[in-house]
Amino acid sequence: MKLSTQIFTAFFFFLLGMSNLAAKEVMQIRGQIKDQNGAGLPFANVALLESVNGAMITGTVSDDNGQFKIESVKSGKAQLVISSIGFETYKSEEFEIKPGAMKDFGAITLQEEMAALGEVTVKATRPEVIIEADKTTINVEGTVMAEGNTALDVIGRSPGVYVDQDGKINLNGRSGVTVMINDRQTYMSADDLANFLRAMPADNIKSIEIINNPTSRFDAEGAAGVINIKLKKNNMDGVFGNVQAGGQYNGQYAPFGGVTLNVKKGKWTNNASLNYNEYAVYNDLEINRNFQLEEGVSRFEQIGRITTRNKNLFFNGGSDYEINKNHSVGINLQASKSESSDNNNSSTLVDNPGTSDRDNIFSFNESIGNRDRIFGNLHYLGLLDTLGTKLTADIDYTKMWAKGNSLLNNSYWVNDQEDQATRDRILNLNEMDYNIFTAKVDFTKPFGKGRVLETGLKGSWVKSDNDLDLSRSIEEQPFMSDPNSNQFIYEENVLAAYASYKSKFSDKVSFQGGLRAEYSDITGTSVTLNQVNKQEYLNLFPSVFIQHQVSKNYQIIYNANRRITRPNYRLLNPFVYYIDPLTTEEGNPNLKPQYAHNLEMNHVIKGSYQFSLGYSQTNDAFQQIFEQDEESRTTTTYTTNLDKSQNINFKAMIPVEIRPWWTTSNMLQVNYNKWNSMIGEALLDVEQTSYMLRSQHNITLPEGFKLEVVGMYLGPQLYGQAMLKSFGWVDAGVTKSFKKDKLTLTVNGTDLFRTQVIRANVQFDKIDTSFRQYRSNQGVRLTLRYKFAQGESFRISNRSGSTEERNRLD
């Protein structure tokens, strides 16, 4: 038996027997918060404080119906404090915390403030984590983590999530995450999404939902799972929002700023945000390649720097109208404009076997790009009875234009004879146009006693046109068209239907099962090559969830599902892009979807400690691979389908309160990955056990200062052909609030010790390559944010939106 199998088996039986760890008694405190009209009040801050010194014991936020539940293992006298914008703060009578007891406050009615008011919040040091059968919710609102950070920062500190240096999001060691905002697909490319989340203040976020294995209600797209960002809801008849401004310096200065506004007047609810940010980095590269020739080994030593600056402007706005208390309609509009520039210069020294002559290559690649995007959504919500029967409908339309060009200048000479250098140029002109239309309807029918039926239909229609014009020039001669130029048209139609049913086997065991069917009709046409690639398939995607409440303090959650990830539209274009004269990137029109089969078992102790074990097998797995041509001594990279990849992951989430003013959140994640596939005539059969550690510390200092320190360490990682060496880094931030917490100043330091260095090597078949990369992560960021609020209380219904296609844009 292999070591990895032994580890898997040991963890499996270890976790099955963990119920004895849940022996420590807790006191449970619950209730429901209502306004003066008797309606449940959502998103109110609930804090449990020590009577003696007012120190915070724990806290939470009320749900959509105003209900709350908190637990405490401490003993002693305490007081419950509840606050919400537009209401007077509620303080309970002093009561005794007795582990093992339960106190129900029943209905608590908050009184409206008569005058205009600012925000009243009770700050929790560590965000509350709520674990359910199908998702984990991190309540960010009202926590220190929300102050001075961005949405991307907060996502990167969520359970099981890792955000790499490019802003790409990984969940439980797997890529292919679908990101949603308020149940609605973000409809952005991966780069646009990263820039959008960098520009969004974390203070705008209410909670983040981590959905490792989504139910059939979600689109089957996204093999790694779903992350759903819930923004704060306007709960006052008037105005609230925030304004932020700041900048970051890491060798380059990059400013950012934005404003968020929420307005409620009668039956109309309106919200809008406008954010601008610049993302500027240096990327220093060292690449060493060895080519085995008949005469011996030819060594290439390459040193380069890529200077990148992206300028991004994002608008997001919406308006909802309540027809009556049961029916509402609304619209959501998004628009973005991005400009990018990259300057890549590199010097390469080539050793030739059998001679003392050394070749020199100097390259300078300058590229600029523009991208414009618009998105529109119309939605309807109808509550059909008092039991909660609900009908929702959404229509979405997205259009994106992208245009870019790059000019690669190359010089070649021998030894020190640079004055005799020969030169050539390669010009890339690229235009892309995307149109996406989606429509969906969802129906929810509760039957009482926890039984709920959900069903729905969705259709999506996608068309993209990608035109790449490639030309070359020798010395100063005119550019001549290159045969690798290509126009590629991609059309995709997907029709889907699903049904899901939730019920209980017993008082302690509940389940949810569903099935989603998706029919896909895909056509890829290379106009230049006069080639048509057509795919047509019908797939079923089942999902099952079982939640076992073993005891008051211990539950086990089992889930399983099947997922699909369709190829990024751009990667299907058979393009050839020159990074430098030695390296090219190519598209692959034969790229097929990948399918993931996922299993997970999650042990939850006292509602806070998580120990989960998961298994995933992906067929036709996407992987970027390298091919090396010994004769021309060049390297080509492209994305292809590997036969199969396997992932076994163990995750532990352990929050620890060192002192009332010092809390920590700690994560350990262990991944076993295995790839098995033929690449050309060589067999890739590799496996690796890797691990990731993260420790986040939130410290309340005197005079109202707050300190956050985050340490991250990644062990050796294997990605197909490439082996990455271990590395880690430390980030820290200090926050100070003024003017009754309305004005906040935050200073963040990133990669404090300049240790976020990536080293990797590829040794497969004939390839012998190693590289070192340091992106200018070490830097300082200053953020100034002002929050404002004025008005009376009111309530907003939740909205939903369609959920799949634009995350595949690039």
Side-chain angles (χ1 to χ4, degrees):
M1 183 181 291
K2 292 185 178 180
L3 176 62
S4 59
T5 306
Q6 294 173 344
I7 294 173
F8 176 84
T9 304
F11 271 134
F12 182 84
F13 287 104
F14 168 72
L15 290 174
L16 281 177
M18 289 190 66
S19 59
N20 61 327
L21 296 180
K24 193 170 182 181
E25 294 287 342
V26 300
M27 180 175 183
Q28 189 178 93
I29 301 164
R30 63 177 62 183
Q32 185 180 23
I33 306 167
K34 295 184 177 183
D35 61 19
Q36 290 174 297
N37 296 321
L41 189 63
F43 320 132
N45 295 299
V46 183
L48 184 64
L49 308 180
E50 293 183 4
S51 296
V52 177
N53 55 16
M56 185 168 182
I57 301 172
T58 186
T60 187
V61 177
S62 62
D63 65 15
D64 290 349
N65 297 316
Q67 295 179 342
F68 67 89
K69 181 178 72 173
I70 52 181
E71 295 178 341
S72 174
V73 297
K74 287 190 172 184
S75 299
K77 297 185 181 298
Q79 184 181 36
L80 192 71
V81 178
I82 301 174
S83 63
S84 183
I85 299 173
F87 292 88
E88 295 181 358
T89 300
Y90 166 85
K91 296 182 179 180
S92 74
E93 297 292 331
E94 184 182 88
F95 63 95
E96 189 80 19
I97 302 178
K98 297 179 180 180
M102 194 274 285
K103 183 174 181 61
D104 191 344
F105 278 86
I108 299 173
T109 300
L110 297 190
Q111 302 297 317
E112 295 182 6
E113 286 190 346
M114 301 306 295
L117 47 102
E119 291 196 41
V120 180
T121 57
V122 178
K123 294 289 183 184
T125 306
R126 185 180 63 237
E128 181 199 24
V129 178
I130 301 173
I131 303 160
E132 302 176 63
D134 56 349
K135 65 185 177 184
T136 297
T137 302
I138 302 95
N139 283 321
V140 178
E141 184 178 14
T143 68
V144 173
M145 193 168 72
E147 298 178 343
N149 286 313
T150 69
L152 192 62
D153 294 329
V154 174
I155 290 174
R157 297 168 194 175
S158 300
V161 179
Y162 166 60
V163 178
D164 67 18
Q165 296 185 69
D166 296 316
K168 305 297 190 299
I169 301 171
N170 293 266
L171 182 58
N172 295 327
R174 293 177 284 156
S175 59
V177 180
T178 297
V179 178
M180 304 168 63
I181 297 177
N182 286 342
D183 302 311
R184 196 171 288 126
Q185 174 61 38
T186 48
Y187 290 87
M188 299 179 192
S189 70
D191 290 338
D192 285 344
L193 176 62
N195 288 321
F196 175 73
L197 295 175
R198 288 188 187 104
M200 178 189 292
D203 190 59
N204 290 355
I205 299 175
K206 170 187 173 286
S207 63
I208 295 174
E209 296 175 347
I210 306 296
I211 308 170
N212 294 321
N213 294 310
T215 67
S216 58
R217 179 173 65 88
F218 291 87
D219 295 323
E221 176 71 28
V226 172
I227 295 176
N228 186 25
I229 303 170
K230 293 279 194 176
L231 301 180
K232 288 182 179 179
K233 300 289 186 179
N234 192 346
N235 62 347
M236 50 192 301
D237 196 348
V239 179
F240 85 83
N242 63 71
V243 179
Q244 65 150 351
Q248 178 165 326
Y249 183 78
N250 58 359
Q252 298 186 83
Y253 175 69
F256 57 84
V259 58
T260 299
L261 188 66
N262 293 266
V263 181
K264 167 82 166 50
K265 181 68 175 178
K267 293 186 175 183
W268 286 96
T269 304
N270 307 284
N271 64 85
S273 64
L274 183 66
N275 289 291
Y276 173 83
N277 82 319
E278 294 188 18
Y279 176 65
V281 293
Y282 294 117
N283 192 358
D284 291 322
L285 293 167
E286 298 176 13
I287 305 174
N288 295 287
R289 316 182 211 199
N290 295 321
F291 294 86
Q292 185 65 52
L293 307 180
E294 292 183 3
E295 301 84 358
V297 177
S298 176
R299 294 180 173 84
F300 285 56
E301 298 177 3
Q302 183 176 358
I303 299 176
R305 165 171 280 196
I306 303 172
T307 303
T308 300
R309 180 174 292 272
N310 295 328
K311 300 178 180 180
N312 310 283
L313 183 65
F314 298 98
F315 169 80
N316 182 37
S319 183
D320 290 275
Y321 177 73
E322 294 184 358
I323 301 171
N324 54 45
K325 66 178 183 179
N326 293 326
H327 299 274
S328 63
V329 293
I331 185 172
N332 176 234
L333 297 174
Q334 298 175 11
S336 66
K337 184 176 184 61
S338 301
E339 297 179 0
S340 62
S341 63
D342 289 272
N343 295 317
N344 177 5
N345 66 78
S346 66
S347 298
T348 306
L349 192 61
V350 181
D351 286 332
N352 297 297
T355 177
S356 60
D357 290 339
R358 308 185 80 185
D359 295 332
N360 292 270
I361 305 172
F362 178 78
S363 300
F364 181 74
N365 194 346
E366 184 178 15
S367 63
I368 58 174
N370 296 279
R371 185 174 305 193
D372 299 310
R373 178 184 63 89
I374 58 171
F375 162 76
N377 164 267
L378 295 173
H379 52 263
Y380 161 80
L381 170 63
L383 301 177
L384 306 184
D385 58 30
T386 57
L387 296 176
T389 303
K390 182 170 63 176
L391 179 69
T392 64
D394 289 87
I395 297 175
D396 298 336
Y397 176 72
T398 308
K399 186 173 182 63
M400 190 184 81
W401 307 265
K403 185 175 183 179
N405 65 74
S406 66
L407 179 61
L408 175 60
N409 292 275
N410 304 308
S411 300
Y412 313 86
W413 68 91
V414 179
N415 298 328
D416 58 355
Q417 302 171 7
E418 185 174 356
D419 57 337
Q420 300 180 27
T422 60
R423 295 173 175 82
D424 64 35
R425 296 177 295 170
I426 301 175
L427 178 64
N428 281 282
L429 303 176
N430 190 204
E431 293 188 13
M432 295 178 285
D433 182 89
Y434 298 94
N435 290 274
I436 301 173
F437 177 80
T438 64
K440 74 165 194 168
V441 59
D442 297 282
F443 176 75
T444 302
K445 176 63 178 177
F447 294 99
K449 297 182 179 180
R451 297 173 298 165
V452 180
L453 173 67
E454 293 180 313
T455 186
L457 300 170
K458 179 187 175 182
S460 68
W461 296 266
V462 177
K463 184 174 182 179
S464 71
D465 191 339
N466 192 335
D467 191 1
L468 178 65
D469 185 6
L470 184 65
S471 57
R472 294 172 176 267
S473 169
I474 299 176
E475 298 296 343
E476 299 300 325
Q477 297 180 16
F479 284 97
M480 304 295 292
S481 180
D482 187 279
N484 287 312
S485 298
N486 187 63
Q487 182 183 4
F488 185 75
I489 299 175
Y490 177 85
E491 297 176 278
E492 173 189 282
N493 304 322
V494 178
L495 302 177
Y498 78 90
S500 176
Y501 183 71
K502 182 190 297 184
S503 186
K504 291 184 177 181
F505 289 124
S506 66
D507 290 339
K508 290 190 174 183
V509 181
S510 60
F511 73 91
Q512 181 174 349
L515 181 66
R516 187 179 185 91
E518 292 190 355
Y519 166 76
S520 302
D521 182 5
I522 299 172
T523 303
T525 304
S526 174
V527 177
T528 306
L529 301 177
N530 195 26
Q531 294 179 351
V532 178
N533 186 299
K534 189 172 181 61
Q535 301 180 41
E536 185 177 357
Y537 45 84
L538 174 65
N539 285 298
L540 299 178
F541 301 95
S543 61
V544 178
F545 297 81
I546 299 175
Q547 186 172 16
H548 182 195
Q549 190 73 41
V550 181
S551 68
K552 183 171 58 176
N553 298 319
Y554 177 50
Q555 62 175 315
I556 308 176
I557 300 169
Y558 308 87
N559 58 66
N561 68 6
R562 182 174 187 255
R563 306 281 292 167
I564 186 176
T565 302
R566 298 180 179 88
N568 179 291
Y569 308 137
R570 174 180 172 271
L571 294 178
L572 293 166
N573 184 359
F575 65 88
V576 176
Y577 179 80
Y578 284 85
I579 301 172
D580 57 47
L582 306 172
T583 313
T584 57
E585 180 188 3
E586 294 184 2
N588 182 5
N590 298 313
L591 197 58
K592 298 180 293 184
Q594 67 176 15
Y595 296 89
H597 306 265
N598 306 307
L599 299 170
E600 185 183 59
M601 178 175 58
N602 191 11
H603 294 248
V604 185
I605 300 173
K606 300 176 188 173
S608 299
Y609 304 95
Q610 292 187 63
F611 301 89
S612 64
L613 186 65
Y615 172 78
S616 177
Q617 176 175 304
T618 304
N619 298 326
D620 294 324
F622 296 155
Q623 187 63 51
Q624 186 181 43
I625 67 168
F626 301 87
E627 284 192 353
Q628 193 164 279
D629 189 313
E630 301 297 308
E631 184 176 345
S632 63
R633 293 183 288 181
T634 58
T635 301
T636 299
T637 176
Y638 61 92
T639 301
T640 191
N641 295 106
L642 302 185
D643 294 339
K644 183 171 62 176
S645 70
Q646 297 180 74
N647 172 270
I648 300 173
N649 64 81
F650 168 75
K651 180 178 62 182
M653 297 295 302
I654 305 174
V656 177
E657 181 181 288
I658 300 175
R659 292 288 188 272
W661 46 268
W662 182 2
T663 61
T664 71
S665 177
N666 307 283
M667 182 184 76
L668 165 65
Q669 186 167 314
V670 181
N671 284 288
Y672 166 78
N673 291 293
K674 180 178 176 61
W675 283 267
N676 186 281
S677 182
M678 293 296 297
I679 299 178
E681 298 180 356
L683 174 65
L684 177 69
D685 187 6
V686 292
E687 57 185 337
Q688 171 72 27
T689 299
S690 58
Y691 58 92
M692 179 173 66
L693 296 167
R694 182 173 66 223
S695 184
Q696 177 181 336
H697 297 249
N698 295 100
I699 302 172
T700 301
L701 301 173
E703 305 298 329
F705 286 91
K706 303 179 183 71
L707 172 67
E708 182 183 57
V709 180
V710 181
M712 189 90 171
Y713 185 82
L714 281 77
Q717 311 280 318
L718 183 64
Y719 294 95
Q721 298 167 303
M723 171 64 77
L724 275 67
K725 298 182 179 180
S726 59
F727 65 101
W729 68 94
V730 175
D731 297 338
V734 178
T735 298
K736 170 67 175 174
S737 295
F738 308 90
K739 295 184 178 297
K740 298 182 179 179
D741 288 343
K742 290 184 178 180
L743 184 66
T744 303
L745 176 65
T746 303
V747 179
N748 292 94
T750 55
D751 192 15
L752 299 182
F753 305 105
R754 200 179 176 86
T755 54
Q756 200 170 351
V757 180
I758 294 179
R759 299 177 179 87
N761 62 72
V762 179
Q763 293 183 331
F764 173 76
D765 196 17
K766 299 177 181 179
I767 304 175
D768 182 6
T769 298
S770 62
F771 69 88
R772 178 186 187 277
Q773 171 183 297
Y774 182 74
R775 188 162 298 194
S776 54
N777 297 306
Q778 188 180 55
V780 60
R781 182 175 72 229
L782 186 145
T783 306
L784 186 65
R785 181 172 297 118
Y786 178 76
K787 297 184 288 186
F788 54 88
Q790 185 174 7
E792 300 174 2
S793 165
F794 84 107
R795 180 178 174 85
I796 285 186
S797 302
N798 289 328
R799 306 299 184 197
S800 65
S802 60
T803 59
E804 177 183 349
E805 291 70 22
R806 281 300 294 275
N807 61 311
R808 293 157 54 209
L809 299 181
D810 189 10

